[in-house]
Amino acid sequence: MDSPDSATISTVTLPPPPTPPPPPPSSAFTPALQHASSREDHYVASITEEHEVTCWGCGLILILSPYTPIFKCGWCGAITNHNAVKGDNSYFWWRRMRDRSFVCVLLLFMSFIIGGGIWAIYPIVFSISYFCGMLHITVSVMLSITTLSTYTLSAFRSPGAPPLIPWGSYPAVGKGRLEGYTFCNYCSKPKSSNSHHCRSCGMCVLDMDHHCPFIGNCVGAANHRVFILFLISAVISNFYVSVISSFAAFYIWPPIRNLPISVLSGPTDYMVVYGFLKEIAFSFFASVESLSLRGFVLIYLFIASVSVEIGLCVLLWQQMSFIYEGKTYLIHLSSRGSNRNSKKDCQNIVRFFGCPYSATRCLLGFWNSRKIHTK
């Protein structure tokens, strides 16, 4: 038996490593490598050139990621939108002429209502009593002055332009001074987030509610309160005109022929009721034929005042609803379909009209007070 020391150790000889294949000839490798490197240099150069953008707010150069049409500057906070395209403003003067025409027509209508009321109503009211005539003059003058003055302020006062702030240069613009501002392509100046450009007025309007063609002006931060006062005064004035014109028309209306009311005391059928209504209609139109010109003016005043009053009541209710919700009509349109809810409170109406807290404490104390529960 052999001992371990006498065992033979066999060695295994490893094969040499394979030699790498020879490189391809330079004529086949060099053009492809040069083409690839040139394409890479072209792409790098184009990306660097496209995304070095200057901020319009502070003038700093920004390096952006690819495909960034809307971005916000990290220094001044200005928002840049490359997708915003300047629209056509060639119909600006046509819109201004349209608005001024509406203003002229509305002024003529109000003048006719006031003048027609003076000519048709005053003699009738004074014929009743001197006190009624003086009371009617006092109320008419107050309503006329209030309506015309508030309408003039709404139509010819500036709706409110955004405040002018420095922009365009880094030393003049501090950090966060243009937070949320965008660039108006029409006015070529900064526009705050609560401003909107009106193409009919040709300016940016602060807290714009809507553009009203009947006043030929926008309703914004500077004239919104006066516009609401005009609506309230116009509603009250039209209601008073409708009441006083109907009273005066009834006072001077020719007597209607007596109708046989006794036919309805017995058993009636369809034909009897139809004949009775027909007699009423014939008697009414017969009395209209003998009506004077003053009576026709009173009828027109009544119909016109009621029609205008209905439209103004709808507009006033809509405006007061938006004020109660603490937003404007444009904000209501932009928030439609979103989950953004505003706080509905009577304090929004108080702040809108600028009433001091001491004057509204008693009025709103009961509304906002907590309920007291007794055990």
Side-chain angles (χ1 to χ4, degrees):
M1 189 170 184
D2 297 334
S3 61
D5 295 335
S6 62
T8 60
I9 300 174
S10 61
T11 60
V12 179
T13 304
L14 297 177
T19 58
S26 60
S27 61
F29 175 75
T30 304
L33 181 60
Q34 291 178 352
H35 181 65
S37 62
S38 63
R39 290 177 58 188
E40 183 179 359
D41 295 339
H42 174 70
Y43 289 155
V44 171
S46 63
I47 290 175
T48 305
E49 181 181 358
E50 285 288 330
H51 294 281
E52 285 187 357
V53 182
T54 303
C55 175
W56 63 264
C58 58
L60 298 178
I61 297 177
L62 308 178
I63 306 298
L64 304 178
S65 60
Y67 310 107
T68 311
I70 303 176
F71 60 90
K72 181 179 181 180
C73 179
W75 172 255
C76 65
I79 300 174
T80 302
N81 185 6
H82 286 165
N83 293 333
V85 181
K86 183 175 181 180
D88 187 13
N89 203 22
S90 58
Y91 297 100
F92 170 72
W93 292 109
W94 182 88
R95 296 189 187 97
R96 296 299 292 174
M97 291 182 61
R98 177 203 62 186
D99 293 342
R100 296 310 176 192
S101 300
F102 275 119
V103 171
C104 294
V105 170
L106 197 56
L107 286 175
L108 289 176
F109 175 76
M110 288 191 290
S111 302
F112 177 78
I113 293 294
I114 296 174
I118 293 175
W119 179 79
I121 300 177
Y122 279 25
I124 301 174
V125 176
F126 271 101
S127 64
I128 298 175
S129 67
Y130 182 78
F131 174 77
C132 292
M134 294 304 298
L135 179 62
H136 173 65
I137 288 179
T138 304
V139 175
S140 300
V141 169
M142 291 178 58
L143 291 178
S144 300
I145 293 176
T146 305
T147 305
L148 290 175
S149 60
T150 53
Y151 178 80
T152 304
L153 292 175
S154 302
F156 300 104
R157 174 187 283 185
S158 174
L164 297 177
I165 55 175
W167 65 281
S169 118
Y170 168 70
V173 180
K175 184 174 179 61
R177 294 295 300 273
L178 296 176
E179 184 69 30
Y181 276 73
T182 56
F183 188 78
C184 180
N185 291 322
Y186 295 92
C187 301
S188 298
K189 61 182 181 180
K191 180 179 66 174
S192 59
S193 58
N194 58 343
S195 301
H196 183 79
H197 183 87
C198 177
R199 290 188 294 173
S200 298
C201 294
M203 60 176 294
C204 289
V205 180
L206 185 65
D207 290 336
M208 178 178 174
D209 186 83
H210 69 286
H211 180 84
C212 181
F214 294 101
I215 65 173
N217 198 4
C218 282
V219 178
N223 64 345
H224 197 177
R225 187 187 308 168
V226 181
F227 179 74
I228 297 298
L229 294 177
F230 162 69
L231 292 180
I232 296 175
S233 176
V235 167
I236 297 175
S237 300
N238 281 277
F239 175 76
Y240 180 75
V241 170
S242 62
V243 171
I244 198 67
S245 60
S246 60
F247 172 77
F250 177 79
Y251 187 82
I252 66 170
W253 199 274
I256 300 177
R257 182 171 57 88
N258 294 329
L259 300 175
I261 307 296
S262 58
V263 297
L264 297 177
S265 58
T268 59
D269 55 3
Y270 171 77
M271 294 303 297
V272 173
V273 175
Y274 174 76
F276 179 74
L277 296 178
K278 186 176 179 180
E279 287 291 332
I280 292 178
F282 283 150
S283 301
F284 176 78
F285 286 112
S287 63
V288 170
E289 291 180 356
S290 58
L291 193 63
S292 62
L293 179 61
R294 194 185 306 274
F296 285 105
V297 173
L298 291 174
I299 293 176
Y300 174 79
L301 290 177
F302 174 78
I303 296 175
S305 59
V306 170
S307 303
V308 174
E309 183 182 359
I310 293 174
L312 291 178
C313 286
V314 173
L315 181 58
L316 180 61
W317 175 262
Q318 182 192 52
Q319 288 289 309
M320 295 303 295
S321 299
F322 291 150
I323 295 172
Y324 174 74
E325 295 175 2
K327 57 186 180 182
T328 60
Y329 178 67
L330 287 182
I331 295 178
H332 170 73
L333 293 180
S334 61
S335 62
R336 182 181 298 177
S338 61
N339 295 327
R340 183 174 60 182
N341 295 324
S342 56
K343 184 180 179 180
K344 301 179 180 180
D345 192 4
C346 288
Q347 290 291 340
N348 296 327
I349 301 178
V350 174
R351 284 190 294 268
F352 176 81
F353 287 103
C355 299
Y357 180 74
S358 58
T360 58
R361 179 180 299 177
C362 298
L363 297 177
L364 298 178
F366 177 77
W367 181 273
N368 296 325
S369 61
R370 293 179 299 178
K371 295 181 179 180
I372 301 177
H373 300 276
T374 57
K375 295 183 180 180

